[in-house]
Amino acid sequence: MQNKTSLYREIFLKSKKAIDKRLSLFSTLHEKQNYLKTTLKDEILKSQSEIKAAFDKINCANCGACCSLAISEFSPKTLQNKVKSGDKTAESFLETFELYKNNTLPENLLNLLPENISLESAYFYHCKKVEFKNSKSFCPVYNKRPLVCRNFPDTPLENLPKNCAYNKWKEENETKALFIKALNDIRHFYINGLYPESANKKDG
């Protein structure tokens, strides 16, 4: 099975070739700018809407696995640095989750690790507020849970516990999400390169 990094590289190159081909059809800088800032953005938003529509058809199984097994590529220190840079998602994450001691996952959660994740390749967090009753976890603040929980998973690129009800949605939309990421990455790079005077202007 192709790993996500090599798949993204392949998708990135394919997306760049397609964007370059589209840009070559325009003769003026204004036309190129309009394509990147409007047309391509609309195409990306349409794909994001399709992923969201598929997400809305899935019902959370309330298994609580995401409360006990939040997987991140970032260490607490890296997340803290992101918070200092104004990253609200990182801030919400750290307010909700804490790293397992020594980053050691409890044995009862090992069978929930996704196949692409090893114990050495990620950081494992758990919710600070989750409680247990009759050996089952429950959220004492469920109706007022933070956005990082309310919106999970916000992308098919999230690492999900094996028993998560959204795994089928992830499998069906992960490649599309990688294309969206590639298109966005290339789009922003070209916008900065084609007219850097607008690079500091907000552009989603």
Side-chain angles (χ1 to χ4, degrees), residues 9 12 25 59 71 79-80 110 123 129 131 136 141 145 167 173 188 190:
R9 186 180 298 112
F12 183 92
L25 299 176
N59 293 317
I71 305 168
L79 289 171
Q80 289 163 4
L110 292 176
Y123 294 90
K129 296 181 180 180
E131 297 179 7
K136 292 185 178 181
V141 294
R145 65 196 185 281
N167 269 306
N173 292 278
H188 285 113
Y190 277 1

Side-chain angles (χ1 to χ4, degrees), residues 88-103:
K88 295 300 182 182
T89 300
E91 181 177 7
S92 180
F93 186 90
L94 285 179
E95 288 175 351
T96 307
F97 296 95
E98 62 184 0
L99 191 73
Y100 276 105
K101 187 177 180 179
N102 299 322
N103 198 36

Side-chain angles (χ1 to χ4, degrees), residues 13-179:
L13 293 174
K14 185 180 295 185
S15 299
K16 182 180 182 302
K17 185 176 181 180
I19 290 175
D20 288 346
K21 184 176 181 179
R22 290 285 293 275
L23 288 173
S24 70
L25 299 176
F26 305 117
S27 57
T28 69
L29 179 61
H30 175 74
E31 290 175 320
K32 295 176 188 289
Q33 293 172 344
N34 185 64
Y35 167 70
L36 291 168
K37 297 208 73 174
T38 304
T39 307
L40 182 56
K41 181 178 180 179
D42 288 345
E43 291 173 1
I44 291 170
L45 290 175
K46 181 181 178 182
S47 293
Q48 290 175 329
S49 295
E50 291 171 351
I51 290 177
K52 180 64 167 58
F55 174 88
D56 290 339
K57 295 178 182 179
I58 308 296
N59 293 317
C60 174
N62 294 313
C63 66
C66 58
C67 304
S68 300
L69 182 54
I71 305 168
S72 176
E73 63 181 300
F74 301 117
S75 68
K77 184 176 181 179
T78 300
L79 289 171
Q80 289 163 4
N81 289 335
K82 286 178 173 289
V83 173
K84 292 177 183 177
S85 300
D87 190 320
K88 295 300 182 182
T89 300
E91 181 177 7
S92 180
F93 186 90
L94 285 179
E95 288 175 351
T96 307
F97 296 95
E98 62 184 0
L99 191 73
Y100 276 105
K101 187 177 180 179
N102 299 322
N103 198 36
T104 301
L105 200 61
E107 288 189 13
N108 65 312
L109 297 177
L110 292 176
N111 64 329
L112 297 183
L113 270 183
E115 292 181 1
N116 64 314
I117 298 295
S118 69
L119 293 175
E120 296 77 27
S121 66
Y123 294 90
F124 306 107
Y125 297 79
H126 63 93
C127 177
K128 301 175 184 179
K129 296 181 180 180
V130 67
E131 297 179 7
F132 293 86
K133 186 175 182 180
N134 298 324
S135 299
K136 292 185 178 181
S137 63
F138 71 95
C139 177
V141 294
Y142 185 79
N143 292 328
K144 296 182 179 180
R145 65 196 185 281
L147 285 177
V148 70
C149 301
R150 197 178 295 274
N151 295 336
F152 182 85
D154 63 349
T155 169
L157 303 181
E158 294 274 12
N159 291 305
L160 308 181
K162 276 185 179 179
N163 61 338
C164 180
Y166 290 98
N167 269 306
K168 188 173 187 295
W169 167 78
K170 171 184 170 68
E171 292 170 4
E172 292 176 348
N173 292 278
E174 190 169 22
T175 299
K176 181 182 286 188
L178 285 172
F179 267 106

